[in-house]
Amino acid sequence: MRIPDWPISTERELELLREVLASGRWGGHGDFVKQFEREFAAFAHCAHGISAMNGTVTLEMALCAAGVGPGDEVIVPAISFVSTAMAVSRVGATPVFVDIEPLSFNMDPERAAAAIAPRTKAIMPVHFGGAIADMDRLAPLAATHGLALIEDAAHAHGSEWAGRRAGSLALAGSFSFQNSKVMTAGEGGMLTTNDAAFAERAWAIMDQGRQPGGGWFHHYIVGSNYRMTALQAAVLLAQLERLPEQIRRRARNATLLRRELADVPGLAFQAVPRQQNANSWYLMLGRVDARRMGRTRDEFHRALTAQGVPCTPFYPHPLYGNPLYQHGGCRVEPCPVAEACIGDAFWLPHRALLGDEETTHEIAGAILKACSEVFAI
Ligand SMILES: Cc1ncc(COP(=O)(O)O)c(C=O)c1O
């Protein structure tokens, strides 16, 4: 099976890296970082982009710039990578874990509404796997209660909701450029926003409390050094040039794959809401109906990987199952759907959707074979 490796780089990355090396400005204050911030912000339909060294600190920057701190609560989904909750804990606030919807894998707006309490300061949905959380319900919910709404868009570069890009659907959007993401420099992060005052605060937090255009030795608020380097920015500029074509290719292959597997009993793919008109396809998510099929997701996963298809058997626990949150430091709402997904969900990485049509047919065939072996269909 000719499934491409990831990450992918070409002569273009080398060309831009050579330019950075020759410039002598390898750090975060050069033109490359500014150019990447401008280009990525425009890509995300935003006026401002604030880059940083990874997508965990961009979440921390967003929370700080939104005024979230000790004593506050932030509502997050129980299913995500740990950064979503870790960033809340790092700024001294308390993550409140709420359930996800059964097939979107995203925060359930009803569960979020039920979790709002006097100390709630923000809601931070994740666009899981590239599928946008239900912003039609989350945005009014946040507005009604005067809460900051922050998108954890680490998976959703280029995803769109009713024609609006991830990162522009709330007060701010936070992106990751870590090695597995759909564009990468190994590490990296970006905060996008259309709020100029928020952008200025976030920038100051990222750059030692300085003010944009202010003096090098003048510091106004507590910040840190979270700067992205010019070397990262050079690689990311090249990656961004390639992203739209890669998204088109993944979309074509995802449609093909889902069409070929639409009638397989006991196998359900992530729901794509009608408002979602573009998808990064960071992950191809699904659930096996283990009860109906009488076998486990783990057997399905083994059968699939044995045929050379990369597949991950979901997370080992909801976020609150981490030792970090076993003895407090969080509030946990009932999460039956998240608990069920731990046992029956799986994902294919985006590189599985980057091959040609023939490879996609082969992957569909491998999934069918795994289903027929394991579930005897
Ligand atoms: C949902 C989510 N949020 C945030 C992050 C944090 O990004 P980073 O690894 O760049 O710190 C990641 C992944 O890595 C993620 O999957």
Side-chain angles (χ1 to χ4, degrees):
M1 235 177 264
R2 294 198 313 273
I3 297 176
D5 288 333
W6 187 263
I8 293 169
S9 69
T10 68
E11 187 53 39
R12 182 67 176 143
E13 274 86 347
L14 290 174
E15 182 191 344
L16 293 172
L17 279 169
R18 277 190 217 103
E19 270 187 55
V20 173
L21 293 173
S23 75
R25 303 192 70 189
W26 301 357
H29 280 269
D31 292 340
F32 276 88
V33 173
K34 284 197 194 74
Q35 186 187 342
F36 178 57
E37 286 177 336
R38 269 196 312 276
E39 290 194 14
F40 191 83
F43 174 77
H45 297 174
C46 279
H48 309 278
I50 306 102
S51 61
M53 59 196 192
N54 62 59
T56 304
V57 292
T58 48
L59 290 173
E60 289 181 35
M61 284 153 49
L63 290 163
C64 284
V68 176
D72 296 329
E73 287 187 343
V74 179
I75 296 172
V76 296
I79 294 296
S80 182
F81 183 64
V82 74
S83 307
T84 313
M86 189 78 90
V88 175
S89 302
R90 285 282 299 168
V91 303
T94 303
V96 177
F97 296 108
V98 300
D99 210 358
I100 56 169
E101 299 168 315
L103 264 189
S104 78
F105 292 90
N106 278 324
M107 177 186 283
D108 183 332
E110 258 179 53
R111 305 322 309 154
I116 293 172
R119 294 199 294 136
T120 309
K121 193 73 182 267
I123 306 178
M124 198 152 73
V126 177
H127 303 318
F128 201 73
I132 304 277
D134 189 342
M135 299 307 276
D136 287 354
R137 290 157 76 202
L138 290 169
L141 179 69
T144 306
H145 293 270
L147 308 174
L149 184 62
I150 296 163
E151 300 168 71
D152 184 344
H155 298 181
H157 320 61
S159 291
E160 286 181 20
W161 184 260
R164 293 166 63 206
R165 287 249 162 99
S168 71
L169 301 165
L171 171 63
S174 170
F175 293 86
S176 164
F177 307 117
Q178 172 268 341
N179 214 67
S180 72
K181 300 302 185 290
V182 295
M183 51 181 287
T184 181
E187 304 286 353
M190 181 77 79
L191 203 55
T192 55
T193 181
N194 280 308
D195 182 321
F198 175 91
E200 206 165 296
R201 286 195 300 280
W203 190 89
I205 293 161
M206 177 274 288
D207 195 17
Q208 307 280 28
R210 296 188 175 101
Q211 279 182 354
W216 185 256
F217 294 121
H218 298 269
H219 311 274
Y220 297 85
I221 62 168
V222 175
S224 190
N225 175 2
Y226 291 158
R227 291 189 299 271
M228 171 182 279
T229 70
L231 296 158
Q232 286 170 292
V235 173
L236 288 165
L237 278 164
Q239 298 269 308
L240 183 57
E241 287 172 7
R242 224 172 284 128
L243 182 64
E245 189 278 321
Q246 289 174 336
I247 287 178
R248 280 196 295 278
R249 203 171 344 145
R250 283 195 293 270
R252 184 201 62 196
N253 288 338
T255 306
L256 212 72
L257 201 63
R258 290 165 67 110
R259 199 184 303 135
E260 289 195 18
L261 298 168
D263 298 325
V264 180
L267 187 65
F269 286 107
Q270 186 177 32
V272 181
R274 79 188 144 71
Q275 297 95 324
Q276 177 134 10
N277 54 296
N279 193 332
S280 67
W281 290 110
Y282 171 58
L283 302 175
M284 176 89 166
L285 281 141
R287 296 182 70 179
V288 295
D289 189 341
R291 252 180 328 171
R292 178 168 157 198
M293 295 322 211
R295 296 291 186 94
T296 67
R297 179 273 323 273
D298 294 339
E299 284 172 88
F300 169 78
H301 164 251
R302 269 195 296 277
L304 200 54
T305 47
Q307 296 177 79
V309 176
C311 176
T312 300
F314 214 61
Y315 294 117
H317 37 234
L319 285 178
Y320 54 79
N322 279 291
L324 165 66
Y325 293 118
Q326 287 289 286
H327 307 288
C330 64
R331 178 153 70 85
V332 184
E333 293 287 304
C335 295
V337 179
E339 301 268 351
C341 285
I342 298 304
D344 67 20
F346 66 93
W347 69 65
L348 272 49
H350 61 93
R351 72 185 179 89
L353 297 172
L354 270 183
D356 54 20
E357 268 189 54
E358 194 189 321
T359 307
T360 307
H361 286 304
E362 286 171 358
I363 294 172
I367 294 175
L368 266 177
K369 187 158 176 274
C371 287
S372 61
E373 275 173 25
V374 173
F375 305 135
I377 51 168

